[in-house]
Amino acid sequence: MGKNVIRRKSLEPRSPSEADHDARDGGVQSVDRALSILETLSEDDEGYRLSDLAVRTGLSASTVHRLLATLESRRFVQFDRAESKWHVGVRSFTVGASFARRRNFSTQAIPYLRKLRDLTRETANLAVVDDEFIIVLTRMESREIMRSLTQVGGRVPMVTSGVGKAVLATYSDEDVGAVIRHHGMPRLTEKSIVRPSDLFKELERIRKQGYALDDEEASMGLRCVAAVVYNDCAEPLAAISVSGMTSRLTDQRLPEIGQIVRDVAAELTAALGGVIPAPR
């Protein structure tokens, strides 16, 4: 009787299309990981050590190092040998700057931001909504010694920023509710609005007065006054704001500052061919 033999199943050679598919999957994963590293680096101007990046991104140190080497060769990141830290590189800036250039209203907004800064003596900002977050496109720095903490390119939740609340005030209650469900209402400071009912009351007040106030809700000691810039369909295109220390943006100055911000936003809307919607 013949001996039973367990035969190994022969492996069929992979077709070129299957090999290409696997290569594409690996390439997509590498791109996703590299972008994750860039996003993490953008969160802190102080930079990150290799080990910290590995922890923050959830990747192995060897994978992070390999991707950093590629990004460094393309100047998307740079390494500070004195501190052994990685930072965002110059190519990341030039690529990101194209976003602001594509938003061609950024250049047109500069004279109005300058006017806003000069009238209020505070830092003036231009921001837009991106995926239900606020991103600052550009700003005109205050000439005062203590300036705002706003970062160009920084992302902040809509519900905790003056610009965000100014835009939210143009939304329907259903759309505001969707933003809350997607991102919650984070408590960034002891003065943050964390209850939906309080937010809806605040938005109603913004609609009546024509400008929004971030009263130390994102950062203690800092206030921001904002108003919406509209497009030709009477929809929010962007928003402008002034931000500064509470010691200068006092309760007594807020109505005057709010009026200035609202007026300059209306001027910029008109300059861009926009239309301010009728009051609700």
Side-chain angles (χ1 to χ4, degrees), residues 143-159:
R143 295 189 176 95
E144 300 292 334
I145 295 175
M146 296 184 68
R147 299 176 178 177
S148 114
L149 302 178
T150 309
Q151 286 189 329
V152 173
R155 289 164 60 89
V156 295
M158 294 184 75
V159 298

Side-chain angles (χ1 to χ4, degrees), residues 234-255:
E235 297 173 338
L237 172 68
I240 59 174
S241 70
V242 293
S243 50
M245 310 305 292
T246 54
S247 58
R248 291 199 304 268
L249 290 179
T250 62
D251 291 343
Q252 293 73 25
R253 287 190 71 202
L254 285 179

Side-chain angles (χ1 to χ4, degrees), residues 132-150:
E132 298 179 350
F133 282 84
I134 294 298
I135 295 183
V136 177
L137 290 183
T138 188
R139 66 181 177 185
M140 298 295 294
E141 289 280 10
S142 167
R143 295 189 176 95
E144 300 292 334
I145 295 175
M146 296 184 68
R147 299 176 178 177
S148 114
L149 302 178
T150 309

Side-chain angles (χ1 to χ4, degrees), residues 14-22 24:
R14 292 190 302 169
S15 68
S17 62
E18 289 175 329
D20 290 345
H21 179 74
D22 288 349
R24 283 197 299 272

Side-chain angles (χ1 to χ4, degrees), residues 93-114:
F93 171 77
T94 55
V95 170
S98 68
F99 174 79
R101 291 196 302 271
R102 184 171 60 84
R103 304 261 182 165
N104 56 11
F105 59 82
S106 296
T107 300
Q108 294 174 266
I110 293 298
Y112 297 90
L113 294 180
R114 186 177 295 113

Side-chain angles (χ1 to χ4, degrees), residues 5-159:
V5 178
I6 300 177
R7 300 183 182 276
R8 177 183 296 175
K9 183 178 180 180
S10 61
L11 296 177
E12 295 290 337
R14 292 190 302 169
S15 68
S17 62
E18 289 175 329
D20 290 345
H21 179 74
D22 288 349
R24 283 197 299 272
D25 284 350
V28 169
Q29 185 181 60
S30 293
V31 171
D32 184 69
R33 289 173 170 177
L35 292 175
S36 176
I37 290 172
L38 284 175
E39 289 174 347
T40 302
L41 286 174
S42 71
E43 294 172 359
D44 195 334
D45 293 342
E46 297 297 319
Y48 287 96
R49 297 181 186 275
L50 175 63
S51 57
D52 296 330
L53 272 176
V55 172
R56 292 296 302 273
T57 59
L59 302 173
S60 68
S62 60
T63 297
V64 173
H65 186 269
R66 174 174 56 82
L67 292 171
L68 284 171
T70 300
L71 291 169
E72 185 182 30
S73 70
R74 300 292 297 272
R75 300 168 64 202
F76 279 89
V77 301
Q78 59 187 34
F79 184 60
D80 183 344
R81 285 171 173 74
E83 296 186 348
S84 297
K85 287 185 176 181
W86 291 90
H87 300 266
V88 171
V90 66
R91 282 294 296 162
S92 294
F93 171 77
T94 55
V95 170
S98 68
F99 174 79
R101 291 196 302 271
R102 184 171 60 84
R103 304 261 182 165
N104 56 11
F105 59 82
S106 296
T107 300
Q108 294 174 266
I110 293 298
Y112 297 90
L113 294 180
R114 186 177 295 113
K115 177 179 181 179
L116 194 56
R117 179 200 59 189
D118 294 344
L119 288 173
T120 63
R121 303 189 306 279
E122 303 297 342
T123 296
N125 312 282
L126 174 70
V128 294
V129 176
D130 178 62
D131 191 27
E132 298 179 350
F133 282 84
I134 294 298
I135 295 183
V136 177
L137 290 183
T138 188
R139 66 181 177 185
M140 298 295 294
E141 289 280 10
S142 167
R143 295 189 176 95
E144 300 292 334
I145 295 175
M146 296 184 68
R147 299 176 178 177
S148 114
L149 302 178
T150 309
Q151 286 189 329
V152 173
R155 289 164 60 89
V156 295
M158 294 184 75
V159 298

